[in-house]
């Protein structure tokens, strides 16, 4: 399997999701708007749940909804992320493996990403993520050198900016949407805010 | 940096009342409690009367939640000074040790409380929390079961046990715990809905029918429970699609599913806003039901 690139937008939202619910396990789906190829470019993510990750109905519902939304917006589901409530344990749970398998049925470059809670602090120099890929019918650790986070320093500073302006509370996951359906689980507003912060770094005006 | 009273234009009485509300309704909005409580304690402690002690306790626990050991320590000192022999304060000292991950020291403290007072339920539950924090789920489950044999009426414990079983994928036992909760709280729509979700996850026709019934019950108790509405749609759709059901059962379930769809569409029309993917949802549910029906319950 080839390289995986993780965009600032996807990383920021995953990080915010895990930070918003520090006492819970959280999960979500990784999306790509790039065509399928040897390399996987994760361009966005959809935060899903922060409770009862291993119960079927809401997970199934969320998967079909995100799938439908993706076909409307020319994106594909290319992976799954999870942050465990128990900070010292960042290994994939049976539930994570099952969902990743499900995604693998449709996408043979599926990425399974576990967030490493112990590395989630502001001055950490290393991305707090552990990636797995499907190899020989099991999920194996991916070679760190095949994972790319462009402009890592800028990404860190953008995440810090979001925290200091309290914007992490804008993040809506699917669970929160079900509690209040006026909330937007596609996070258009937050996406726009993050993209605004990213553009100067890319030199795009 | 402006104070809470300046930022929100509230007086100290309103801050005190807010803290009481959060305490009584068991909110865990720790950052807010720390902000409001710290200011109240620092500026207005003398005006609070006897309330000050329970506020110290509330703020201390919130401070532990936010890694504010400085604040937690000072609250603890005040409480120790006022109540030097109290088990309750000793337990708070134990919670601080837990927050510092000094689990052995915390356990020693809790054991000394339990030696004096073996029926101290809060302390017993703290010991179980330590097992959970250490990732020792099977031991936590075992201890919690033993606890519940003695303290059968402890709702919080039953619910915690159901969560532990769900995480371990032991759905049958989770269902049992939720059945206990539904018996003692027949009007609680959340327990009905969670029970239905567990049944759905267990899968199989019988469980799906039970799931559908309990999703319906949850809706009767609270017709705005969206999870129950979606759950009703999904369980009815799966039953209708099953080759093992009679024509009548199929017809009934198609009707239930159609009803659920219309309720969902209405909910989005009435309450949805332009920002949410309103256009996507009600249409897509019918389109996506094809894929939904092709898949058995996922997990």
């Amino acid at each position: 399997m080839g390289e995986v690139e993780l965009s600032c937008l996807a990383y920021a939202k995953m990080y915010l999701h895990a930070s918003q619910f520090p006492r819970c396990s959280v999960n979500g789906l990784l999306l790509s708007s790039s065509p399928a190829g040897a390399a996987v470019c994760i361009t966005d993510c959809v935060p899903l749940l922060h409770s009862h990750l291993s119960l079927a109905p809401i997970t199934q519902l969320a998967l079909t909804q995100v799938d439908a939304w993706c076909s409307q917006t020319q994106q594909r589901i290319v992976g799954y992320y999870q942050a465990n409530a128990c900070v010292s344990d960042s290994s994939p749970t049976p539930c994570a493996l099952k969902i990743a398998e499900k995604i693998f049925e449709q996408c043979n470059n599926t990425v399974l990403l576990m967030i490493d809670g112990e590395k989630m602090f502001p001055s950490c120099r290393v991305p707090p993520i552990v990636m797995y890929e499907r190899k020989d019918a099991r999920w194996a650790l991916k070679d760190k050198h095949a994972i790319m986070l462009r402009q890592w320093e800028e990404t860190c500073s953008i995440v810090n900016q979001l925290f200091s302006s309290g914007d992490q509370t804008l993040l809506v996951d699917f669970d929160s949407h079900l509690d209040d359906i006026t909330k937007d689980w596609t996070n258009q507003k937050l996406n726009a805010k993050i993209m605004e912060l990213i553009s100067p770094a890319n030199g795009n005006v | 940096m402006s104070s809470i009273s300046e930022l929100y234009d509230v007086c100290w009485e309103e801050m005190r009342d807010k803290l009481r509300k959060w305490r009584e309704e068991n909110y865990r909005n720790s950052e807010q409690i720390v902000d409001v409580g710290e200011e109240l304690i620092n500026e207005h402690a003398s005006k609070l009367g006897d309330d000050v002690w329970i506020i110290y306790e509330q703020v201390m626990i919130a401070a532990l939640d936010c890694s504010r050991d400085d604040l937690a320590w000072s609250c603890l000192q005040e409480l120790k000074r006022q109540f030097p022999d109290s088990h309750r304060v000793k337990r708070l000292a134990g919670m601080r040790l837990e927050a510092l991950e000094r689990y052995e020291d915390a356990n020693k403290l809790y054991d000394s409380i339990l030696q004096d007072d073996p029926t101290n339920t809060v302390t017993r539950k703290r010991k179980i929390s330590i097992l959970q924090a250490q990732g020792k789920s099977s031991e936590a489950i075992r201890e919690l079961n033993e606890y519940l044999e003695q303290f059968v009426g402890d709702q919080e414990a039953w619910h915690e046990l159901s969560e532990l079983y769900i995480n371990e994928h032991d759905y049958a036992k989770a269902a049992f715990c939720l059945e206990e909760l539904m018996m003692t709280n027949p009007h609680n729509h959340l327990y009905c809905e969670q029970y239905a979700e567990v049944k759905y996850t267990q899968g199989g026709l019988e469980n799906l029918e039970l799931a559908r019934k309990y999703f319906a019950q949850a809706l009767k108790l609270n017709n705005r429970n969206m999870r129950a509405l979606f759950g009703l749609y999904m369980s009815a759709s799966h039953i209708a699609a099953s080759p093992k059901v009679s024509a009548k059962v199929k017809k009934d379930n198609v009707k239930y599913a159609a009803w659920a769809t219309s309720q969902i569409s209405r909910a989005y029309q009435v309450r949805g806003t332009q920002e949410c993917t309103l256009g996507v949802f009600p249409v897509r549910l019918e389109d996506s039901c094809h894929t939904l029906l092709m898949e058995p319950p996922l997990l």
Side-chain angles (χ1 to χ4, degrees):
Chain A
M1 194 178 137
E3 282 182 343
V4 174
E5 186 182 327
L6 185 57
S7 74
C8 174
L9 180 66
Y11 176 82
K13 279 161 62 181
M14 277 195 308
Y15 193 97
L16 292 181
H17 191 208
S19 313
Q20 213 181 35
F21 302 103
R23 302 143 196 148
C24 311
S25 294
V26 301
N27 67 6
L29 297 172
L30 302 171
L31 311 180
S32 176
S33 53
S34 313
V40 177
C41 190
I42 300 170
T43 49
D44 197 0
C45 71
V46 175
L48 291 185
L49 307 177
H50 57 265
S51 65
H52 301 147
L53 271 61
S54 54
L55 288 182
I58 307 302
T59 303
Q60 206 178 11
L61 175 69
L63 279 171
T64 43
Q65 286 305 298
V66 176
D67 206 29
W69 181 64
C70 279
S71 24
Q72 285 200 330
T73 52
Q74 285 84 46
Q75 298 181 89
R76 307 174 290 130
I77 299 177
V78 294
Y80 169 85
Y81 74 84
Q82 185 170 306
N84 291 333
C86 191
V87 156
S88 54
D89 175 18
S90 61
S91 51
T93 57
C95 155
L97 294 172
K98 279 204 171 114
I99 299 179
E101 278 296 323
K102 193 90 200 144
I103 300 172
F104 181 70
E105 283 171 16
Q106 305 289 332
C107 166
N108 61 10
N109 274 347
T110 300
V111 171
L112 169 57
L113 195 156
M114 297 299 295
I115 295 179
D116 185 352
E118 289 196 312
K119 298 205 177 76
M120 280 181 73
F121 51 90
S123 53
C124 187
R125 319 246 50 193
V126 189
I129 59 181
V130 185
M131 256 193 220
Y132 295 81
E133 58 181 357
R134 200 83 175 15
K135 227 186 206 175
D136 308 322
R138 43 179 279 277
W139 292 92
L141 273 174
K142 191 169 174 60
D143 175 15
K144 283 194 195 116
H145 299 107
I147 304 169
M148 284 199 301
L149 278 117
R150 293 195 198 280
Q151 294 149 335
W152 168 239
E153 307 282 333
E154 273 88 357
T155 303
C156 280
S157 94
I158 287 171
V159 170
N160 288 333
Q161 260 185 283
L162 290 166
F163 271 109
S164 51
S165 50
D167 286 332
Q168 76 274 22
T169 51
L170 287 178
L171 186 87
V172 176
D173 68 2
F174 202 79
D175 246 343
S176 308
H177 169 77
L178 289 176
D179 289 333
D180 175 358
I181 57 173
T182 59
K183 290 189 176 163
D184 171 22
W185 57 262
T186 64
N187 288 292
Q188 300 298 317
K189 267 196 176 142
L190 183 62
N191 279 5
K193 270 215 160 123
I194 298 176
M195 291 314 287
E196 255 177 63
L197 293 173
I198 296 176
S199 325
N202 279 344
N204 296 335
V205 174
Chain B
M1 194 164 116
S2 24
S3 64
I4 298 288
S5 47
E6 281 167 29
L7 263 175
Y8 299 98
D9 192 23
V10 288
C11 61
W12 71 269
E13 288 101 335
E14 287 170 295
M15 288 164 73
R16 175 202 58 194
D17 293 341
K18 230 0 191 238
L19 281 179
R20 180 188 306 131
K21 173 168 189 264
W22 291 333
R23 203 163 56 233
E24 286 170 1
E25 299 185 19
N26 217 0
Y27 281 18
R28 196 175 167 176
N29 52 337
S30 300
E31 287 92 351
Q32 281 183 302
I33 294 174
V34 161
D35 283 342
V36 173
E38 187 171 25
E39 190 173 309
L40 202 59
I41 290 171
N42 288 341
E43 317 278 320
H44 307 283
S46 50
K47 303 185 194 112
L48 294 169
D50 276 337
D51 271 354
V52 75
W53 308 114
I54 202 158
I55 290 176
Y56 272 126
E57 180 185 47
Q58 184 183 10
V59 174
M60 187 208 158
I61 294 176
L64 290 179
D65 225 6
C66 301
S67 298
R68 283 285 311 273
D69 192 46
D70 57 318
L71 180 58
W73 180 249
S74 60
C75 292
L76 187 58
Q77 295 318 298
E78 294 295 325
L79 288 165
K80 273 187 177 161
R81 203 171 301 145
Q82 181 70 10
F83 306 102
D85 298 313
S86 156
H87 278 164
R88 188 161 160 174
V89 175
K90 217 172 175 184
R91 192 240 317 160
L92 290 174
M95 283 176 79
R96 179 177 165 271
L97 292 172
E98 282 186 63
L100 297 170
E101 293 182 89
R102 289 168 51 185
Y103 298 123
E104 259 192 59
D105 292 336
N107 264 322
K108 279 202 193 107
L109 206 59
Y110 293 147
D111 286 334
S112 71
I113 298 175
L114 287 169
Q115 245 186 347
D116 267 348
D117 176 13
T119 63
N120 193 317
T121 54
V122 189
T123 303
R124 269 186 81 164
K125 287 193 276 192
R126 287 310 328 150
K127 285 184 60 101
I128 296 172
S129 301
I130 291 179
L131 290 170
Q132 284 176 273
Q134 293 172 312
K136 298 180 180 168
S137 318
S138 353
E139 286 174 57
I141 287 175
R142 198 186 51 228
E143 293 291 319
L144 200 41
N145 268 300
E146 272 182 39
Y147 171 87
L148 280 165
E149 275 172 32
Q150 264 190 284
F151 301 100
V152 148
D154 189 333
Q155 315 278 301
E156 179 189 64
W158 279 112
H159 198 247
E160 193 65 31
L161 187 56
S162 75
E163 299 276 321
L164 285 173
Y165 278 133
I166 288 172
N167 284 340
E168 297 297 305
H169 301 265
D170 194 339
Y171 301 118
K173 298 215 179 92
F176 178 77
C177 298
L178 287 163
E179 282 160 11
E180 284 289 328
L181 287 165
M182 288 194 295
M183 253 193 336
T184 45
N185 303 273
H187 300 295
N188 186 319
H189 66 106
L190 294 172
Y191 292 150
C192 277
E193 185 256 302
Q194 269 177 39
Y195 181 75
E197 283 194 51
V198 169
K199 284 291 155 195
Y200 182 104
T201 308
Q202 282 180 290
L205 195 52
E206 237 181 83
N207 284 325
L208 279 175
E209 294 199 302
L210 262 176
R212 194 205 63 228
K213 291 190 176 132
Y214 279 91
F215 280 130
Q217 178 65 6
L219 278 170
K220 250 186 22 198
L221 294 169
N222 178 353
N223 61 5
R224 298 182 73 163
N225 186 329
M226 289 309 288
R227 287 185 181 80
L229 205 42
F230 281 118
L232 178 60
Y233 168 76
M234 287 162 68
S235 38
S237 305
H238 276 298
I239 296 169
S242 165
K244 299 184 202 159
V245 300
S246 67
K248 172 159 194 329
V249 169
K250 195 186 182 78
K251 194 165 147 206
D252 287 342
N253 280 281
V254 165
K255 236 179 32 196
Y256 301 143
W259 178 83
T261 317
S262 70
Q263 293 300 303
I264 294 170
S265 297
R266 226 180 56 174
Y268 276 89
Q269 274 162 22
V270 165
R271 277 181 278 146
T273 62
Q274 272 165 341
E275 279 103 35
C276 96
T277 51
L278 182 55
V280 176
F281 200 80
V283 175
R284 273 311 173 171
L285 189 58
E286 275 122 23
D287 286 356
S288 67
C289 81
H290 171 80
T291 10
L292 205 55
L293 294 180
M294 292 300 114
E295 301 176 7
L298 174 61
L299 297 164

